[in-house]
Amino acid sequence: MVTICLGLEGTAHSFGAGVVSSDGKVMSNVWDMIRPQKGGIHPREAARHHSEKGPTIIRHALEEAGVTAQDIQLVAFSRGPGLGPCLRTTATMARVLALHLSVPLVGVNHCVAHIEIGCLESGFQDPVTVYVSGGNTQVIAFAGGRFRTFGETLDIAIGNMLDVFGRSAGMRFPAGPEIEREAQLGREYHALPYSVKGMDLSYSGMLTAARRLLSGGVPLPDVCFSIQETAFGMLAEIAERAIAHTKKRELLLTGGVARNSRLTEILSGVAVRHDVRFHRVSPSLAGDQGAMIAWTGILQYLAGNTVDVAESQVLPRWRTDEQEIRWRAM
Ligand code: ATP
Ligand code: FE2
């Protein structure tokens, strides 16, 4: 029998609802994002956005999937990691729905969901994953029953670095797409700190140096080009080492920054050199959205891992490797 799951995602600036069936069909995936006019996102404002827009987004997701609320057999929500107020607002909606519909509730790890939706789309069994977004920069692989972080940023995430640089260059949030367009016009490479420490990397020095280049009169396209080449080169180096170390045969690129074509090109080159398969999660599934929560919710539910409403408190600091991944442990 096929199980239909409604997944709610609301860890940060986006709220999403997706409907996915246990045979792996994404039936709908609707989301909306708060875009501050200036400055970063304020957790409470994002949470207010989620509570205001959430019900409509959920209704649209059901309509698009061609189902009614009564067809939903499982409710999954992003339990962490993320911003407390956003997580709590989303969890409340999920709990109410699960209680109202008398269906099980599943609390999903957001980072794990970025990996699992990529595996669904690609058919990959056991990849090295490069997970890059506004809040995370990690190279992850499954080992000993958990998703282990092989390398990660020691300070700010790559997407955050791009967004903060973009803000100082007068770009709107999120700045990643505009930086990518500018970089395509860049001609001259200017050195920026290339900071790989063991398997970890750091982007804060690059942010400071890039801002200095810009205020020193280097044309914006050249700065963007230099940022991309340096930042993505660093990721390629640790991805390459993770492949060599784990001997895995698949390389997956996921998270919002996976929308970048130049990063895709660089990592697919790594895959060719190591003779491993490569997949970049398609743009509609790369960023934060509900389908990834719904799909991971199904995997988790089928492995017997649901949560009682009374014990479903959110986990803002939930690390990727804290969760025992029962559906892969065999
Ligand atoms: P997480 O909670 O997993 O950290 P997130 O809240 O940052 O995710 P995502 O939608 O996964 O949300 O990622 C958003 C990030 O992706 C932003 O930093 C944005 O600038 C970046 N981004 C989007 N498109 C591109 C692009 N074409 N090139 C580079 N970065 C991009
Ligand atoms: Fe995300």
Side-chain angles (χ1 to χ4, degrees):
M1 210 195 64
V2 177
T3 304
I4 295 180
C5 179
L6 170 69
L8 303 186
E9 155 59 38
T11 51
H13 47 64
S14 305
F15 182 85
V19 179
V20 177
S21 59
S22 55
D23 54 359
K25 214 167 103 209
V26 175
M27 299 166 73
S28 68
N29 203 14
V30 182
W31 72 89
D32 184 44
M33 174 189 193
I34 181 169
R35 288 168 199 271
Q37 285 304 315
K38 56 172 194 274
I41 32 168
H42 193 289
R44 272 195 318 258
E45 278 167 26
R48 193 177 326 126
H49 163 270
H50 298 355
S51 64
E52 283 171 10
K53 299 277 177 72
T56 313
I57 292 173
I58 293 168
R59 201 167 331 114
H60 285 166
L62 294 174
E63 278 165 18
E64 247 179 57
V67 299
T68 66
Q70 278 62 40
D71 296 319
I72 298 300
Q73 293 152 293
L74 183 66
V75 174
F77 71 103
S78 51
R79 193 175 181 187
L83 306 171
C86 302
L87 290 170
R88 284 192 290 275
T89 303
T90 307
T92 303
M93 285 187 255
R95 290 180 196 124
V96 168
L97 281 166
L99 287 173
H100 178 70
L101 299 170
S102 304
V103 299
L105 182 67
V106 184
V108 169
N109 181 298
H110 176 92
C111 310
V112 169
H114 272 294
I115 301 172
E116 290 295 359
I117 196 72
C119 288
L120 172 68
E121 193 184 49
S122 59
F124 282 3
Q125 300 289 319
D126 188 21
V128 165
T129 300
V130 175
Y131 163 37
V132 277
S133 63
N136 289 282
T137 306
Q138 300 184 333
V139 174
I140 303 165
F142 190 73
R146 282 155 203 261
F147 284 112
R148 309 275 173 190
T149 305
F150 279 79
E152 66 189 321
T153 178
L154 297 169
D155 41 57
I156 53 174
I158 185 166
N160 186 232
M161 181 269 290
L162 295 171
D163 293 334
V164 174
F165 171 79
R167 198 194 305 157
S168 49
M171 296 175 186
R172 286 200 61 187
F173 174 85
E178 197 171 333
I179 290 176
E180 177 172 12
R181 282 194 296 277
E182 289 290 339
Q184 281 159 1
L185 307 171
R187 294 280 168 267
E188 198 181 328
Y189 178 80
H190 294 261
L192 287 170
Y194 180 101
S195 180
V196 174
K197 296 169 186 164
M199 284 296 284
D200 295 324
L201 35 80
S202 148
Y203 285 120
S204 65
M206 178 181 306
L207 174 61
T208 312
R211 282 167 144 173
R212 203 175 300 133
L213 285 182
L214 192 65
S215 59
V218 175
L220 181 61
D222 288 346
V223 183
C224 294
F225 171 72
S226 306
I227 290 174
Q228 287 205 162
E229 294 307 303
T230 315
F232 300 164
M234 286 158 55
L235 278 172
E237 182 182 332
I238 60 169
E240 208 152 356
R241 257 193 268 144
I243 293 169
H245 178 74
T246 60
K247 303 199 166 49
K248 299 204 191 270
R249 310 298 306 153
E250 299 158 340
L251 179 63
L252 180 69
L253 173 59
T254 192
V257 183
R259 297 199 179 101
N260 189 288
S261 321
R262 179 61 184 142
L263 176 58
T264 304
E265 185 178 53
I266 289 176
L267 289 186
S268 70
V270 167
V272 169
R273 273 201 297 286
H274 288 263
D275 194 24
V276 301
R277 295 171 66 206
F278 175 73
H279 182 76
R280 183 270 290 257
V281 174
S282 60
S284 64
L285 296 175
D288 290 354
Q289 29 70 36
M292 69 177 188
I293 302 298
W295 172 242
T296 310
I298 287 172
L299 296 174
Q300 210 165 304
Y301 165 73
L302 294 176
N305 195 351
T306 58
V307 64
D308 285 338
V309 166
E311 286 164 14
S312 63
Q313 80 283 359
V314 300
L315 305 170
R317 298 187 175 278
W318 199 7
R319 283 186 57 91
T320 315
D321 55 13
E322 267 175 59
Q323 188 185 13
E324 196 190 332
I325 307 297
R326 293 193 208 151
W327 62 93
R328 282 179 177 264
M330 285 68 85

